[in-house]
Amino acid sequence: MAGRADSTVLAGARVVLPTGTVENGRVIVEGTRIAGAAAEGAPTVDLSGHWVVPGFVDMHNHGGGGASFTSGTVDEVLTGIRTHREHGTTTLVASTVTGEMDFLAHRAGVLSELVEQGDLAGIHFEGPFISPCRKGAHSEELLRHPDPAEVRKLMDAARGTAKMFTLATELPGGIDSVRLLAEHGVIAAIGHTDATYEQTVEAIDAGATVATHLFNAMPPLAHREPGPIAALLEDERITVELINDGTHLHPAALELAYHHAGAHRVALITDAMDAAGFGDGLYQLGPLAVEVKDGVARLVEGNSIAGSTLTLDTAFHRAVTIDRIPVGDVVQSISANPARLLGVYDRVGSLEPGKDADLVVLDEDFAVKGVMRRGAWIKEPLIG
C-alpha cells in the first residue's frame, strides 16, 4: 500500500464532476485534498482509458471482511472498514441491529470513538424501534415502541455521532420521536414499517427524510392501499435507500424508484453484514444466526433475508451495466446524495477543489482499479 502523495496529477481519465463528465480530465491532489492547480513539477499518473469518480459514501452498513459493526471489537470494526474502503467506500456509517437498550448504548460508545477519530462518519440505529410485522432480521422479543426518551438515551450515548435512526413511525411514540430527531439534526428514516400511506405522510410532515431500503421490510405497493412506498416515492423531501445486489430488488423496482424519485433522491447503500467481501458461511447478526450461501445472507430460523454481502463497487457496476443508469446519475446516488444527507458534502461526495481527496479509479468495465482516501492510496492503480 502506497503512502500519501503530497502532490500528484491524475490525468487522462473520464472525470465525473457535479457539472458533468470531463473527457481527458485531470484531478490534482495536494496533500489530503483536491487542489485547483498543480505544483510545478508535480508527478503525473496517466489514467487514460479509466474513469475517476468520487469516493463512495455508504450510509447503511453493518459490517464486512468477516467483522461486525454491531458487536465486534474496535479492531474488528476497523477490519470491516478497511474491507469496504478497498471496494471504494471512503466514507462509511456503522449501522446497529436490534438489541437490549443498555447493549446498544454501550455499542454507541464504542462506535462513537471511531467517529471521533475519523474512521467512521457516524452511527445509524436500525432497531429496536421497528414493527414486529416487518422485523426482517431483527429479534422480535427485543423490539420496542419508539419512546422519545429511549431514542434520546441512544442519542446521548452516541455523544453527537448519531446520524440516523430507522423507525416504524406508525407505532406509539413514532411521530414524537421523528420530531425529536429532526430538532437535533438527526435523520429520521422510515423503515421496517407496517404504516399506511396516510401514516407515512404524517411522518414525513413531522420531519422524516429517508426511506430505509425502500421496498424491503414494508407493505408492498397496492392499487387500493398504496402504503408507504407510494408516499415515500412521491415526496420530494424523501431520499430513498436502494440495495442494488440483485437479491433485494428486481431491476424493474430499481428502475421504478429512479424514474419516479429521480437520481437526486436515491442513495445506493449496501446494508452489508459481516460476510461482505469475505465469503459464505455461518455468521451472527446481533443475536440471530445467519447462513450465507452463494452470496445471499438469510436467517437460519425463518429464512428471511439478513442484510447483504454487497460492496458499493458491485452496486455501481450493476447500476451502470445491468440497470443502464447513466454514470453521472449513479455517482450522484452513491456519493453526493448520501454525503449531503450526512452533512459532510462540504468535505466529500464530489471531486471539487478544497474537498478531501477521496476518489475511485474504475476501468472501462467499471471494475475498481484504485482507491484514494484523503490523498493516500488505499489501493494504488497498476497502470501500464
Side-chain angles (χ1 to χ4, degrees):
M1 184 184 299
R4 195 181 81 192
D6 284 332
S7 182
T8 304
V9 179
L10 308 179
R14 291 188 178 102
V15 180
V16 181
L17 303 175
T19 52
T21 299
V22 177
E23 300 286 341
N24 194 26
R26 66 180 195 162
V27 178
I28 300 162
V29 177
E30 290 280 355
T32 63
R33 297 187 181 275
I34 297 170
E40 186 176 348
T44 297
V45 179
D46 183 3
L47 293 177
S48 299
H50 291 73
W51 295 80
V52 176
V53 301
F56 308 147
V57 180
D58 193 354
M59 57 188 281
H60 188 155
N61 188 313
H62 299 277
S68 171
F69 299 155
T70 66
S71 59
T73 65
V74 168
D75 285 345
E76 288 169 342
V77 173
L78 289 170
T79 294
I81 293 170
R82 283 193 296 270
T83 296
H84 285 283
R85 284 181 185 169
E86 289 167 0
H87 290 272
T89 298
T90 52
T91 301
L92 186 149
V93 169
S95 301
T96 64
V97 294
T98 295
E100 296 282 1
M101 285 295 295
D102 287 345
F103 174 80
L104 290 174
H106 171 73
R107 202 68 210 145
V110 172
L111 294 172
S112 65
E113 293 181 11
L114 293 171
V115 179
E116 290 159 2
Q117 67 188 39
D119 291 298
L120 291 170
I123 303 170
H124 163 217
F125 292 96
E126 188 179 24
F129 309 118
I130 62 176
S131 172
C133 302
R134 304 287 173 177
K135 65 182 184 298
H138 291 257
S139 179
E140 183 167 354
E141 59 266 27
L142 297 176
L143 299 182
R144 312 167 77 90
H145 290 162
D147 180 346
E150 294 196 322
V151 171
R152 184 60 187 260
K153 176 181 177 178
L154 294 182
M155 287 173 56
D156 290 344
R159 303 199 300 265
T161 67
K163 288 290 186 180
M164 183 163 69
F165 280 72
T166 291
L167 309 171
T169 53
E170 74 278 9
L171 295 176
I175 298 300
D176 287 340
S177 292
V178 169
R179 293 195 182 104
L180 172 70
L181 293 167
E183 287 169 5
H184 287 82
V186 179
I187 297 166
I190 300 171
H192 288 276
T193 176
D194 204 39
T196 64
Y197 175 90
E198 291 77 15
Q199 288 170 328
T200 306
V201 170
E202 182 184 9
I204 297 170
D205 287 341
T209 55
V210 166
T212 293
H213 43 54
L214 185 74
F215 300 108
N216 297 113
M218 58 182 63
L221 184 65
H223 64 294
R224 291 195 184 93
E225 296 180 2
I229 293 173
L232 294 164
L233 277 177
E234 73 183 9
D235 199 301
E236 283 291 322
R237 293 170 290 182
I238 292 292
T239 298
V240 298
E241 294 182 345
L242 299 175
I243 308 170
N244 192 22
D245 62 351
T247 298
H248 281 78
L249 296 176
H250 189 283
L254 187 97
E255 182 182 0
L256 174 67
Y258 264 96
H259 176 77
H260 204 76
H264 67 290
R265 287 181 46 219
V266 171
L268 293 176
I269 62 162
T270 61
D271 195 16
M273 45 79 72
D274 313 15
F278 199 68
D280 289 357
L282 293 173
Y283 296 87
Q284 287 290 128
L285 187 60
L288 302 178
V290 175
E291 182 178 14
V292 177
K293 186 176 181 181
D294 298 326
V296 178
R298 293 186 179 275
L299 291 181
V300 172
E301 296 290 334
N303 207 38
S304 292
I305 295 175
S308 84
T309 62
L310 186 64
T311 50
L312 279 181
D313 57 335
T314 298
F316 191 112
H317 184 272
R318 284 186 58 88
V320 174
T321 63
I322 296 174
D323 305 305
R324 302 298 180 184
I325 298 168
V327 173
D329 288 352
V330 178
V331 167
Q332 191 174 7
S333 301
I334 211 166
S335 298
N337 296 345
R340 286 194 184 95
L341 283 166
L342 296 172
V344 295
Y345 189 67
D346 60 324
R347 294 190 292 104
V348 301
S350 65
L351 300 175
E352 296 176 273
K355 291 194 175 186
D356 289 351
D358 290 4
L359 56 87
V360 182
V361 179
L362 304 166
D363 67 15
E364 291 181 335
D365 297 320
F366 300 100
V368 172
K369 294 300 178 182
V371 181
M372 177 181 283
R373 182 173 187 270
R374 297 181 184 173
W377 288 112
I378 302 295
K379 180 176 183 178
E380 187 164 10
L382 300 175
I383 307 299

